[in-house]
Amino acid sequence: SSGINAEWPLRPGEVGDRVQFVCRIHAQPKPSVIWMRNSEEVVSGNKSVITTKTMDETTTVSKLVIESVESEDEGMYVCLATNVAGSNIENAALTVNDPNKDIPVTSVSILEGDSVTLACVAAGPVTWNLDQVPLSPGSRFVFVENNLVISDSTIYISGIYTCKEDTINRKRYDVKITAVNGGLSDWDTWSPCVGVGCGVGQKTRTRQCNSPTPSSNGVDCVGDLTEKDECDIPCRSEWSDWTQWNGCSADCGGGYQSRNRVCITQGNNGTCTAPGSGTEVRNCNTKPCSVNGQWSDYSAWSDCSVTCGDGVRTRTKTCDNPAPAAGGNYCEGQGSETKTCSGPVCPTHGNWGEWSGWSSCSVDCGKGVKSRERVCDNPEASDGGDPCAGSAMEFDECIKPDCDEEGKFTEWSDWTECHSECGAGTQSRARECVAKKKKVPTATLR
């Protein structure tokens, strides 16, 4: 290998200058080249660009270019060339004239996941840089007036935060975000003792790795999260809670409903020793059911309402099969029905017609009789009916002027025929009063 000739800046750089380091290496075989700053390797990226070219069989040129130098770029830069024959280095110091480099840096330490507000006092608007890289607002970086709020922090955004007003640094923070190691919580309460039957069982309790919860780069908790221990299970029998009452067996008139429970046993070969029953029954819906009335069968037909002629016969039924109850409806329709009936022809009893006018007095002088008559035709008796009661003729006394001379009666005539063929009737006979001047007829009645 041969020596390394380095071309270094001959004067301090100004903030914002473009600085180029050139490392010219004469060596065979071709060496590998790395750049270092203050013993840390410099990686080609947005801020620093490294290019390495082979010029001929023995010459290699490597360049480190810083496009916009900042005071943070000051330090000792080293070019390290290595091949199978050995290695060689060249170094040079870079200084940067920066009017802001004397601004003190405030140290801030937070745990990963925490939030922090970095304050900045300036007359005008400011920008914020992280390790000289401008920041843009988002979910993690929020600008509140001139302040910077960092949320949901991670170790990857640790670094130097600078608040700049134009080209002047107003505030600098060295933010160190450290990972959160996990911490165990207190133990939970013991679980119920469980096992088969009764005797020795097991209980469990747990704890969580959340006091605090480790961050993505923090160390997880050390220690068990679950602990078990022996416990005693007594032999016992006890009832579970009752189930809900089931539906009533009837809607009205009295029914029943039941509910159940289960005997939970430990030991005793599964035999339940708890007092009481697993089933309970009670009455329900005891109010009477409404019953609609229904007709009974018809009774037999009654006798005819008359012994002769046209009449009716009747039969009835009652609303009692069953009778309406508890608000039920009465039977529909009528409780009786009729039909016509007839017997033998009824006998017609005789009844008298009107009286006729009175006849003339039976004498011209003295006391006589007058008569009137009636006929049994209103109506006539028929079909075995009774004849008229009483006499068909009626007599009454009549008085004429006295006779001039006394006379004498003749002999009685024969009796007339009876005016009625049956029952009571009348018949009469007559005689004359023979006077000296004239005859005066007389009459007698019986």
Side-chain angles (χ1 to χ4, degrees), residues 373-391:
E373 60 183 0
R374 57 184 178 179
V375 179
C376 187
D377 61 358
N378 186 31
E380 293 184 8
S382 63
D383 299 316
D386 297 333
C388 295
S391 175

Side-chain angles (χ1 to χ4, degrees), residues 6-51:
E7 298 177 4
W8 309 107
L10 300 179
R11 60 174 175 81
E14 300 291 335
V15 173
D17 283 352
R18 183 178 185 273
V19 176
Q20 175 176 274
F21 297 92
V22 179
C23 184
R24 191 177 303 274
I25 305 131
H26 301 281
Q28 223 182 4
K30 177 184 176 181
S32 63
V33 180
I34 63 172
W35 289 88
M36 302 180 70
R37 171 181 171 270
N38 297 337
S39 301
E40 292 186 1
E41 183 179 358
V42 178
V43 180
S44 183
N46 294 330
K47 186 174 181 62
S48 302
V49 178
I50 299 173
T51 59

